[in-house]
Each structure stands twice: as structure tokens, then as C-alpha cells.
Amino acid sequence: MARVIVQQAPFDTAAELARLTGGRTDVGGIGLFLGVVRDTAGGRPITAMTLEHYPGMTERALSAIAAEAETRWPLLGCTLIHRVGRLVPGEAIVLVATASAHRAAALDSCAFLIDWLKTKAPFWKREEFRDGGAAWVAARAEDDAAAARWLAPRRAAAE
Amino acid sequence: MKILYFAWLREKAGTAEEEVVPPAGVQTVRDLIAWLATRSPGHAAAFADLGSVRCAVNQDFAGLETPLAPGDEVAFFPPVTGG
């Protein structure tokens, strides 16, 4: 059962990693992705970013994505934390952490989770530019392509 | 029926949430959009480009042909950009 949280407050990465393994000794590796607010968007400096979400559906979508990861890889733990509200460059925005007995499952499931989160979880970013103005971020084709590579993970095994 | 708007659809529609009673002919998401777009110039602007509008019915992603029932929660938003 994954730990899924949407919150405004900062999270404590070290505390989350400690909680993920919780003293168990069968974990051989942890995959970690920490998303951070970058100070430019398309080469244009930004001063802040505001994350909006759909309370209820967002948590459900994250839980469904985590459940999918748990069916694909032998995970011993999974944590998804996504922040909302106004964040400034340098702040952590999303934490994805997966624990497994071996590194391949931990790393692959972590990559899968952030790729699917970016295209399947209802969050929307609005960037404030240093030279004034603000704009909603448009979805990127690269993110769709990154998510699509996980669509048929078992094909090799089935052949 | 409860309608929710997020991100720029909320800004264009001028509301985050509204309770509506669509006419009897409204049976799908596509029908609902066509009817909502007549409610105000802001609503019309929000739905001007359906290629950049996504939808959820009762908090599950839905398509334009998804059937609707009274009491449904229908949300409209742009393609997601989290992470």
C-alpha cells in the first residue's frame, strides 16, 4: 500500500526515506526522484510557480498509478508526495520513492511513477515570469512520449 | 449536476464550480459542453478549443462521448502538467 500525499507544506526527504523502509531489512535498494522548481521556463526566468490540483481526484489518480507500479514490480514500499500552492525556484515539488529487494525494480518503478504522474495525475502549473506576467504551462509531447514507453512492459515476457 | 473548472478553464469560465440542471437533450459530455458554452461569453471562450480541454466524470478521466446522469460531478481542465 503506497503512501500518497498531496500537501502545501515542504516535505522532509530524509524522514520519508526512513519511513519507507521502516526498519525492515529485506530492502536492497531505493529508487528516488526529487522534482525541484527550476528558475527558467523555455529560457525565460521565472520567480515562482503555482500548482493547482483537483482535491479528491488527484489523490485517487496518484493511488491508482502507485497501484499499477505495485502490480508491475515487486515493491516493498512506495511513497508519492506532491506539493501544491505557490513554490519558488529551488523548492522541492515532488518526491517519488520506491523500495525493492533489487535495484532494477526500484529504479524502473520510480521512473515509471514520475512519467505516469506527469501525464495522468491532475495537477496544473502556472509560472510567474521575472519580466512580468504569468502563464499556464502547456503539456509537453516529450512527457507523453516518456509515459508511452511504459504502455507495454510485459510484451517481452509474453513473447 | 456539479461542474468544476480548473486552471485556465476556471479563469475563462469565471467560476471554479457551479451547480447546473442541463436540459433533457444533454446526454453526453459533448452535449454538456455545447450547452455550457451558451451560458456566457467566458464559458464559450473556455470551450472554444476542445483539443485542449480534458474532462473527468465523477473523478475518472472521461471522453466526449461519456454518458452523463443527474448528480454527476463533471470537471473540465487542460492537459495535466504536474511533476
Side-chain angles (χ1 to χ4, degrees):
Chain A
M1 192 67 182
R3 172 170 161 85
V4 171
I5 302 173
V6 178
Q7 66 183 32
Q8 211 154 3
F11 48 78
D12 181 338
T13 302
E16 290 300 333
L17 292 182
R19 183 182 179 125
L20 180 66
T21 49
R24 57 193 299 170
T25 53
D26 53 350
V27 171
I30 292 172
L32 171 69
F33 176 80
L34 191 62
V36 180
V37 178
R38 191 170 47 238
D39 65 0
T40 57
R44 200 172 165 192
I46 69 162
T47 53
M49 173 182 281
T50 300
L51 266 290
E52 182 171 326
H53 77 301
Y54 181 173
M57 181 176 173
T58 302
E59 291 83 352
R60 281 180 54 175
L62 291 176
S63 295
I65 294 165
E68 177 67 24
E70 286 170 335
T71 68
R72 295 187 184 206
W73 290 277
L75 298 185
L76 300 171
C78 177
T79 300
L80 285 181
I81 303 178
H82 205 301
R83 292 180 64 197
V84 293
R86 191 170 183 274
L87 304 174
V88 299
E91 282 194 82
I93 176 170
V94 59
L95 169 80
V96 178
T98 52
S100 191
H102 299 283
R103 72 181 184 283
L107 290 171
D108 289 353
S109 61
C110 184
F112 162 84
L113 284 164
I114 187 61
D115 284 348
W116 269 34
L117 182 157
K118 275 181 168 283
T119 56
K120 296 178 193 299
F123 290 100
W124 303 276
K125 289 184 183 128
R126 183 175 176 273
E127 293 167 333
E128 296 169 37
F129 300 104
R130 188 185 298 162
D131 55 9
W136 291 97
V137 175
R140 298 164 69 241
E142 295 91 328
D143 289 337
D144 288 333
R149 72 194 168 109
W150 300 103
L151 284 180
R154 294 204 186 83
R155 192 176 53 193
E159 281 169 358
Chain B
M1 190 176 284
K2 184 173 166 185
I3 313 293
L4 303 174
Y5 302 92
F6 293 94
W8 56 258
L9 272 103
R10 170 174 49 74
E11 294 177 344
K12 290 194 176 186
T15 182
E17 180 176 336
E18 57 188 345
E19 196 69 39
V20 301
V21 182
V26 171
Q27 297 184 342
T28 66
V29 169
R30 188 188 296 279
D31 298 338
L32 178 64
I33 289 173
W35 177 72
L36 287 170
T38 66
R39 285 172 65 85
S40 78
H43 284 77
F47 292 116
D49 173 18
L50 288 191
S52 53
V53 174
R54 299 293 180 269
C55 175
V57 175
N58 299 325
Q59 303 193 356
D60 283 321
F61 286 105
L64 290 174
E65 309 312 325
T66 300
L68 298 173
D72 279 348
E73 176 177 300
V74 184
F76 295 103
F77 43 78
V80 305
T81 56

